[in-house]
């Protein structure tokens, strides 16, 4: 009997821990688009820079966050086998923005007994900010966009410096997850 109670308690603790992990995770949705006429596996070198002619959000686009974004993209691209180069084949440009959003909720309280109890419709609104992280990849020789990936959703600002860097790195890794690995001959001898 005691072993059943212990097993039940441990299962309950694992369920609670799982729920807490899901509740604490970032609610970012990622997606991508690409030019199907371009063989994305042909590229081996890259460079990273902020998107041109774009007003960045004053907080997400701060110099600190630009540095975090650039460092995270470099780390993820190098992990995929690409080589950082001053004369690259592709250029990864990043941008961020924040949009004010509003969610409207309606709780329908009508029932068959509404004539007796009353009833109605309770409408509430919820204002929040949606953040977007966007990566645009351009072919260097033509300055033609060949791939775009983005993450959007409600972002809760991490409290510690390490948490911010980890959040940015994980977000960039999620966005670039669908971008292909570099080919095997990336590090050919020069």
């Amino acid at each position: 009997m005691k072993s059943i109670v212990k097993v039940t308690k441990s299962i309950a603790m694992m369920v609670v821990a799982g729920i807490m992990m899901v509740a604490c995770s970032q609610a970012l949705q990622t997606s991508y688009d690409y030019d199907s006429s371009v063989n994305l596996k042909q590229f081996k070198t890259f460079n990273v820079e902020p998107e041109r002619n774009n007003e960045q959000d004053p907080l997400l686009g701060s110099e600190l966050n630009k540095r975090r974004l650039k460092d995270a993209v470099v780390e993820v691209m190098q992990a995929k086998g690409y080589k950082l180069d001053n004369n690259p084949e592709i250029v990864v440009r990043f941008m961020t923005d924040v949009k004010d959003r509003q969610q409207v909720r309606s709780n329908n309280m009508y029932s068959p007994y509404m004539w007796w109890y009353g009833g109605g419709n309770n409408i509430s609104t919820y204002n929040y900010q949606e953040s977007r992280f966007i990566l645009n990849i351009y072919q260097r020789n033509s300055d033609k966009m060949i791939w775009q990936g983005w993450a959007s959703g409600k972002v809760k600002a991490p409290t510690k410096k390490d948490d911010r860097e980890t959040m940015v790195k994980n977000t960039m890794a999620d966005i670039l997850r669908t971008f292909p690995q570099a080919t095997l001959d990336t590090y050919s001898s020069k």
Side-chain angles (χ1 to χ4, degrees), residues 17-28:
I19 291 171
M20 292 295 288
M21 287 176 59
V22 169
C24 294
S25 67
Q26 296 293 336
L28 292 175

Side-chain angles (χ1 to χ4, degrees), residues 2 4 13 15 21 37 42 59 74 78 84-85 88 93 95 109 111 119 133 138 140 155 176-178 183 185 187:
K2 287 183 181 180
I4 293 174
M13 291 297 287
V15 168
M21 287 176 59
S37 68
Q42 69 180 317
L59 294 176
V74 166
Q78 286 178 332
L84 186 63
D85 195 336
R93 295 189 185 129
M95 61 185 266
M109 296 185 294
S111 74
F133 298 89
Y138 296 87
R140 170 85 188 237
V155 177
L176 287 166
R177 181 163 285 129
T178 59
T183 55
D185 63 344
Y187 297 108

Side-chain angles (χ1 to χ4, degrees), residues 92-108:
V92 181
R93 295 189 185 129
F94 58 86
M95 61 185 266
T96 60
D97 69 358
V98 174
K99 301 232 182 252
D100 291 326
R101 299 284 189 207
Q102 185 177 60
Q103 183 177 17
V104 178
R105 296 180 183 154
S106 173
N107 296 327
N108 188 348

Side-chain angles (χ1 to χ4, degrees), residues 27-173:
L28 292 175
Q29 301 294 319
T30 60
S31 193
Y32 70 99
D33 191 11
Y34 64 97
D35 183 347
S36 61
S37 68
V38 176
N39 177 8
L40 296 175
K41 295 182 179 186
Q42 69 180 317
F43 305 112
K44 299 169 183 60
T45 60
F46 77 102
N47 205 341
V48 182
E49 60 189 42
E51 187 62 72
R52 300 177 187 160
N53 303 323
N54 185 21
E55 288 188 31
Q56 301 256 341
D57 178 74
L59 294 176
L60 284 177
S62 72
E63 285 300 317
L64 291 171
N65 283 329
K66 283 182 184 178
R67 210 169 30 241
R68 284 185 189 110
L69 286 164
K70 182 176 181 176
D71 292 346
V73 171
V74 166
E75 188 173 334
V76 172
M77 290 294 285
Q78 286 178 332
K80 286 183 154 292
Y82 292 90
K83 186 176 177 185
L84 186 63
D85 195 336
N86 288 331
N87 190 19
E89 297 168 309
I90 56 175
V91 177
V92 181
R93 295 189 185 129
F94 58 86
M95 61 185 266
T96 60
D97 69 358
V98 174
K99 301 232 182 252
D100 291 326
R101 299 284 189 207
Q102 185 177 60
Q103 183 177 17
V104 178
R105 296 180 183 154
S106 173
N107 296 327
N108 188 348
M109 296 185 294
Y110 290 109
S111 74
Y113 306 105
M114 117 180 161
W115 55 271
W116 181 260
Y117 296 109
N121 197 11
N122 183 16
I123 297 175
S124 62
T125 60
Y126 171 64
N127 296 320
Y128 65 98
Q129 290 186 322
E130 179 182 74
S131 302
R132 291 189 309 170
F133 298 89
I134 302 166
L135 295 178
N136 298 323
I137 299 182
Y138 296 87
Q139 195 169 356
R140 170 85 188 237
N141 59 4
S142 66
D143 207 30
K144 171 180 150 184
M145 183 186 294
I146 57 172
W147 190 90
Q148 182 179 52
W150 60 92
S152 63
K154 195 168 96 172
V155 177
K156 181 181 161 196
T159 55
K160 297 179 186 172
K161 177 186 168 224
D162 292 339
D163 293 340
R164 290 176 194 269
E165 290 172 1
T166 301
M167 187 269 299
V168 169
K169 181 182 170 195
N170 290 342
T171 301
M172 295 304 108

